[in-house]
Amino acid sequence: MTDASTASDTSRVETRLLVGRSPEQRLLREELAAAASGHGRLVVIGGEAGIGKTTLARDLAKAAADDGMLVLVGHCYDLTATPPYGPWLDLAADARWRADLPPLPAAFASGRIDEIDSQAALFAQARDWFAALAERRPTLVILEDLHWADHASIELLRHLGAGVASLPLCLLATYRLDELTRRHPFYQQLPALVRDTDCRRIDLRPLVQDDLRALVVARWPLAPPDRERLVAYLERHAEGNPFFATELLRALEEESLLRRDNGGWALADLDRVVMPSLVRQVIDGRVARLGEGTRVPLALAAVIGQEVPLALWAEAAGLSEDEVFAIVEQAAEAHLLDPEPDGVRVRFGHALIREALYDGVVAPRRRRWHRQVAEILAAQAGASPDIVADHFQRASDARAWEWHVRAGERAQRAYAWLTATERFSSAAALLEGIPGLESQRARLLYRCGRLRRYADTREGIANLAVAERVAHLAGDRMLAADATYSRGLLHCFAGEFGIGVAELEAGVVALEALPPDEARPSWSKATWLADALPARERADMPDIDPAADVLIAAGVHHRRGSLPWFLAAAGQLTRAQTIGEQFVTIVEGRPAGELTISATGHAWIGIGLANAALGRPDAARSAF
């Protein structure tokens, strides 16, 4: 291991004073030792904001680095702005500048997740990369704030966690218990994560009086009466939260209420001191002491996000590079910012610090800053559409919905379909009630319904019902008919074949009844149809299916080819066979694109199922 690699590991793992966590430290050190000997595991640490998850993770990271292990860290940010595979991309950015590591998977190396050809291939590449890492050096991977992670990130964690038992690799993830709601991907996937990976869960409890006493004694050796007064004060105001306790102690020291005296420490009378219990006010006081020239740029940095690129900060604030560096130095000394080793970005020392600064900005100024940041980012090549959309939305800017759509399409291409539905849903909500944009809103809701067909059929059915209604209002009969068909598809996926098959057929009949000019767009591979896979397009496949004009003239839609499969599954065997054979006869010998080829395959599957159920194994085998 080179000196440079050692420095890069230890620079990321500076730790703070840790009290009251001896049992948790012991468990984590045991897992670290087991991983170093080739028996890895996933460990998840949960607790409220400020309870000490990050401090505990940093303590373990320092121990790992001291033992010669490789340490890699990835972070999540606000759920609405975290892109697909967000913490893994952040970890890759940490790994990219280190020459001692094997080459990253292509999508993570470039950050171009929209170029992912297969989620299965990406997961295999990630697994192989981490295995190669661990073969070189035992490795600790830390993923912070998974309560803000997207579905795809957690699926990848679940995949990797299930395979680390035989590797010298420890995966450590932290999350906020108080942030989890039913809509959070981590809340939804935590039971499966625990079940499938044999992970160890650690839920952190508040500090008790003895823990607070240890915190005081470690840094401020006071006479026993003063010590007990201070401990009682912390117990009353910090409510067992170590971050709050530390902030209160710093505030007391900065106000000279806790001060050095004759070589020791003395505590002033606290009975008459009105010390705010809200950490926001404590942080506000510390920021105010830095002066207005520092406070305003720090507030703007809080609007940018938990991670702050220095170039973006300088441009948005109208500051020179040296002026930004001076602010970073002051803020780091005040324990507000942590500079990153790459020298081009900083992070707030704790999410609560950033949240306190953000909440302190009046709404009109906050909106203006969000718009300013969004416009700077939007002008940059390769800007994250998730982050741009979030800033525009927080600015109440009409451009937000288009960036949500871009973010959704990038997520769809990365096979992060549930994240895509969240972005499309956000865009659709912003379009509600806007005259002239009803068709765009209907398409977005349609896409949500299609993308949810495997994961959340009930919500998908509801999306498609609204899409059909809005499409009718917009005069888009093609979309309304396809929404009927797709709603039937989801009913079948939910096991409701009666209503499902009826709606499938009703949708097909409506599509086939459309005039050619209205029907033709439904033969397109356009991404809004949400059927096209996000792999690179084949050069020999045109946008409009080559069979479209011939089959439209014959009164046949490609959706008809899917009917036999579901008719057979519903027990309507003779109809499945008849419709299937009619369809394949019509399309035989025709020039075909992806949609016709796919529909033909579905028709043959339906024929095969029908023949198998009717006791005709040779005919079934031939069809399959």
Side-chain angles (χ1 to χ4, degrees):
M1 184 171 62
T2 65
D3 291 341
S5 66
T6 304
S8 66
D9 281 348
T10 56
S11 65
R12 295 302 303 271
V13 297
E14 292 179 5
T15 188
R16 297 168 180 153
L17 181 64
L18 192 61
V19 299
R21 301 295 181 219
S22 296
E24 292 84 359
Q25 279 181 295
R26 185 168 57 253
L27 288 174
L28 289 171
R29 299 299 170 87
E30 289 172 0
E31 294 295 345
L32 199 64
S37 64
H39 303 286
R41 184 184 265 188
L42 169 64
V43 182
V44 293
I45 304 177
E48 67 179 27
I51 202 66
K53 303 179 296 296
T54 296
T55 303
L56 198 57
R58 289 180 178 180
D59 175 74
L60 187 68
K62 185 176 187 306
D66 289 345
D67 289 342
M69 295 180 70
L70 174 67
V71 179
L72 292 174
V73 184
H75 300 80
C76 298
Y77 306 103
D78 190 300
L79 184 62
T80 59
T82 297
Y85 305 104
W88 302 103
L89 291 172
D90 192 65
L91 182 147
D94 182 27
R96 199 174 296 133
W97 57 277
R98 304 168 70 151
D100 58 327
L101 306 184
L104 283 157
F108 289 164
S110 66
R112 295 297 305 274
I113 58 172
D114 52 345
E115 295 181 354
I116 295 172
D117 290 332
S118 161
Q119 189 179 61
L122 174 67
F123 282 20
Q125 292 166 13
R127 182 190 61 231
D128 292 345
W129 186 73
F130 280 105
L133 274 184
E135 283 180 9
R136 295 190 181 192
R137 274 166 72 188
T139 300
L140 170 65
V141 172
I142 298 175
L143 301 176
E144 290 262 38
D145 296 324
L146 281 195
H147 54 277
W148 283 326
D150 61 290
H151 291 273
S153 291
I154 300 166
E155 287 173 5
L156 178 53
L157 177 63
R158 183 175 161 191
H159 178 78
L160 294 174
V164 299
S166 59
L167 294 175
L169 174 64
C170 181
L171 294 172
L172 178 67
T174 70
Y175 68 98
R176 281 195 200 175
L177 282 169
D178 52 327
E179 283 280 342
L180 288 187
T181 64
R182 291 184 182 276
R183 66 177 287 270
H184 280 75
F186 192 70
Y187 175 92
Q188 297 166 8
Q189 297 198 41
L190 183 57
L193 194 68
V194 173
R195 181 187 67 244
D196 295 348
T197 64
D198 187 33
C199 81
R200 169 164 275 176
R201 289 185 64 180
I202 299 175
D203 291 330
L204 298 184
R205 57 175 176 76
L207 299 182
V208 297
Q209 189 179 72
D210 286 344
D211 301 330
L212 294 171
R213 185 175 292 108
L215 178 64
V216 170
V217 169
R219 286 182 174 168
W220 298 274
L222 293 159
D226 284 348
R227 181 190 64 208
E228 294 310 308
R229 281 196 302 119
L230 184 54
V231 169
Y233 176 84
L234 293 175
E235 191 173 27
R236 183 165 65 252
H237 290 283
E239 299 177 342
N241 188 297
F243 178 75
F244 292 176
T246 302
E247 293 303 302
L248 288 171
L249 286 166
R250 283 187 181 137
L252 290 172
E253 188 173 351
E254 288 165 357
E255 295 287 345
S256 296
L257 297 167
L258 179 60
R259 63 185 184 278
R260 291 190 179 277
D261 182 45
N262 296 325
W265 287 83
L267 183 68
D269 185 358
L270 298 178
D271 293 339
R272 292 173 294 174
V273 175
V274 181
M275 179 62 69
S277 60
L278 295 177
V279 70
R280 170 183 161 182
Q281 293 171 275
V282 176
I283 293 169
D284 283 348
R286 192 175 343 141
V287 172
R289 281 186 285 275
L290 296 178
E292 189 70 5
T294 298
R295 186 191 67 79
V296 173
L298 276 176
L300 173 55
V303 168
I304 292 173
Q306 181 69 20
E307 179 185 87
V308 187
L310 296 180
L312 171 62
W313 188 12
E315 184 174 354
L319 297 172
S320 69
E321 188 177 71
D322 286 338
E323 288 172 324
V324 169
F325 290 163
I327 293 170
V328 169
E329 288 167 355
Q330 291 183 65
E333 188 175 345
H335 306 284
L336 297 170
L337 292 179
D338 292 332
E340 288 292 288
D342 59 13
V344 299
R345 55 199 169 127
V346 294
R347 297 182 196 271
F348 282 95
H350 196 285
L352 288 171
I353 294 174
R354 184 242 167 179
E355 291 164 18
L357 284 163
Y358 183 88
D359 291 341
V361 181
V362 295
R365 176 175 288 187
R366 198 159 57 205
R367 283 196 296 271
R368 178 165 62 83
W369 280 348
H370 275 299
R371 181 178 295 109
Q372 186 178 351
V373 171
E375 288 173 345
I376 293 171
L377 289 172
Q380 296 176 357
S384 167
D386 302 88
I387 294 175
V388 176
D390 184 58
H391 281 297
F392 272 134
Q393 182 161 351
R394 291 176 187 270
S396 301
D397 192 288
R399 290 169 283 185
W401 77 269
E402 297 175 279
W403 282 93
H404 277 302
V405 172
R406 294 189 197 186
E409 290 180 345
R410 183 176 74 155
Q412 183 185 340
R413 294 189 194 100
Y415 292 87
W417 282 11
L418 293 178
T419 299
T421 64
E422 291 170 359
R423 302 300 185 252
F424 293 146
S425 293
S426 296
L430 292 172
L431 293 179
E432 187 171 3
I434 300 179
L437 295 179
E438 294 87 356
S439 185
Q440 286 92 329
R441 179 168 176 255
R443 289 186 176 198
L444 289 167
L445 291 167
Y446 175 90
R447 294 179 78 169
C448 290
R450 294 286 305 191
L451 289 171
R452 284 184 166 125
R453 63 189 183 269
Y454 300 123
D456 191 348
T457 54
R458 288 290 161 216
E459 188 66 22
I461 288 168
N463 289 151
L464 290 164
V466 179
E468 181 182 1
R469 178 174 59 80
V470 176
H472 277 303
L473 292 173
D476 192 336
R477 294 190 293 176
M478 184 275 292
L479 179 57
D482 212 336
T484 302
Y485 168 89
S486 295
R487 197 168 67 244
L489 181 75
L490 267 67
H491 276 296
C492 289
F493 282 5
E496 299 165 350
F497 284 97
I499 186 173
V501 168
E503 290 189 336
L504 283 169
E505 292 196 81
V508 170
V509 169
L511 286 166
E512 291 175 342
L514 292 173
D517 61 328
E518 287 188 60
R520 206 164 187 272
S522 67
W523 289 79
S524 166
K525 297 182 301 176
T527 56
W528 70 266
L529 286 168
D531 268 356
L533 290 176
R536 288 182 176 85
E537 301 289 354
R538 284 173 50 183
D540 59 342
M541 288 294 183
D543 288 338
I544 296 293
D545 196 298
D549 291 332
V550 174
L551 293 182
I552 288 173
V556 176
H557 196 273
H558 65 83
R559 293 291 197 202
R560 179 167 288 277
S562 296
L563 291 178
W565 188 343
F566 294 101
L567 286 167
Q572 299 183 39
L573 305 178
T574 302
R575 290 196 68 219
Q577 185 175 2
T578 300
I579 292 175
E581 289 174 349
Q582 290 173 345
F583 184 83
V584 297
T585 299
I586 291 170
V587 301
E588 186 176 5
R590 308 284 187 191
E594 291 180 9
L595 297 175
T596 302
I597 291 170
S598 175
T600 305
H602 290 166
W604 278 116
I605 290 172
I607 295 169
L609 289 171
N611 278 297
L614 291 168
R616 302 167 186 162
D618 291 339
R621 187 176 298 109
S622 176
F624 288 138

